[in-house]
Amino acid sequence: MKKRIFLSMILAAVMLAALLAGCGSGGSAAQKEEPAAAESTQKEAAPAETKAEDTAPETESTEAATTSADEAESTEAVTTSADETESTEAATASADEKENTEAATTSADEKESTSSALRDAAEENTGVGNPWSDVESAEEAAKGAGIDSFVIADDPGLDLGQLFEKTYRCMHGIAEARLEYPASALTVRKGTYAEEGDISGDYTEYANTWTQDVNGIEVTCFGNREGDAAKSIWTVDNMYFSIVAEGLGGDEDFGLNAERLTAMVNSIQ
């Protein structure tokens, strides 16, 4: 009995020792396998870190390239904008210069045209010549005109003030006298030449026209104020007569009233 118990105890001790030995081997194996696993993890992590380190320069390089591209595009845009602005300014300047040139050309053409017209007028006047001749008296005026007589009374009896100047001139077919008063002047003509019965040479269009009888002579009167004759014309024995009155004191519508006109017509022969 004791012997069996003893054997059982020995067997149990052996089994316990074996079990303990097995546990120690397992723990050592596990401990040996863990460094390997850690080393493998480190090896696997190292490429990851390497990849990260390798990727970082590539990323920086890509960003730098992108930034450079953006800067290059921005520079090109600025350059293009500057070129377009310069081109626009050049086009505007060219248009302004063209307009100025055209204006100058037009002005020059107008000036040349005006000068040409003045030259033509001067040449025409020079070619025709002045048909009038200044003379000293009414008698010389009649002779130069080729008519029998030309007489104006020394004092026609007008209330126009003092007659301070009387001048004469003539051309073929017309004798003329100019009488100047302080504020008015009268031009008297007599002759054989008249355009449509009007020898006066006054082509002004007046507002009013009327006739006045002077000792049986029908005188046609023209004036802007009715009753004040700025121009008067009549005919006696195929001779044409006229009186043109003008204001020298600012009265542009000056004319001879009925009394003054009667006095002048009676003083002319």
Side-chain angles (χ1 to χ4, degrees):
M1 182 69 178
K2 291 180 180 181
K3 200 180 276 189
R4 288 181 181 178
I5 294 171
F6 181 76
L7 290 175
S8 299
M9 291 176 65
I10 292 173
L11 181 61
V14 172
M15 291 178 65
L16 180 61
L19 180 61
L20 292 174
C23 290
S25 299
S28 177
Q31 290 176 358
K32 289 182 181 178
E33 289 176 359
E34 286 177 359
E39 184 178 357
S40 176
T41 303
Q42 290 177 355
K43 288 182 180 180
E44 291 177 357
E49 292 176 357
T50 303
K51 289 182 180 180
E53 292 175 355
D54 293 341
T55 303
E58 291 177 358
T59 303
E60 293 176 356
S61 177
T62 302
E63 292 176 352
T66 302
T67 302
S68 177
D70 292 340
E71 291 176 352
E73 184 176 356
S74 177
T75 302
E76 290 177 355
V78 171
T79 303
T80 301
S81 178
D83 291 341
E84 291 176 352
T85 301
E86 183 176 356
S87 176
T88 301
E89 291 176 351
T92 302
S94 177
D96 292 339
E97 291 175 357
K98 183 177 180 181
E99 184 176 355
N100 291 337
T101 301
E102 291 176 350
T105 302
T106 302
S107 179
D109 291 342
E110 291 176 352
K111 184 176 181 181
E112 183 176 356
S113 177
T114 302
S115 298
S116 177
L118 292 174
R119 286 196 300 270
D120 292 343
E123 291 175 359
E124 183 177 355
N125 290 335
T126 302
V128 172
N130 186 0
W132 292 96
S133 299
D134 295 331
V135 294
E136 297 296 329
S137 65
E139 290 80 4
E140 291 181 12
K143 183 177 181 180
I147 59 178
D148 294 339
S149 65
F150 181 45
V151 177
I152 301 176
D154 293 336
D155 184 9
L158 303 177
D159 57 349
L160 297 176
Q162 182 180 1
L163 176 61
F164 64 88
E165 186 174 15
K166 184 186 291 186
T167 57
Y168 300 92
R169 65 177 186 168
C170 62
M171 63 177 291
H172 181 70
I174 301 175
E176 179 185 284
R178 180 176 174 82
L179 289 68
E180 293 192 15
Y181 296 88
S184 60
L186 305 178
T187 300
V188 180
R189 286 185 177 183
K190 177 183 177 180
T192 58
Y193 174 77
E195 294 183 7
E196 298 181 356
D198 187 349
I199 198 175
S200 69
D202 179 12
Y203 303 103
T204 304
E205 293 185 2
Y206 294 98
N208 302 294
T209 303
W210 67 97
T211 59
Q212 178 176 329
D213 183 88
V214 178
N215 297 330
I217 300 173
E218 185 177 276
V219 180
T220 303
C221 304
F222 306 84
N224 290 325
R225 290 197 300 256
E226 188 171 1
D228 291 342
K231 178 174 74 171
S232 308
I233 58 175
W234 67 97
T235 305
V236 176
D237 297 334
N238 296 323
M239 297 296 294
Y240 299 96
F241 297 83
S242 69
I243 302 171
V244 175
E246 58 181 304
L248 302 179
D251 185 2
E252 297 180 356
D253 295 329
F254 174 79
L256 298 176
N257 58 26
E259 292 77 11
R260 292 170 177 171
L261 181 59
T262 298
M264 280 301 301
V265 172
N266 288 333
S267 68
I268 301 170
Q269 295 181 8

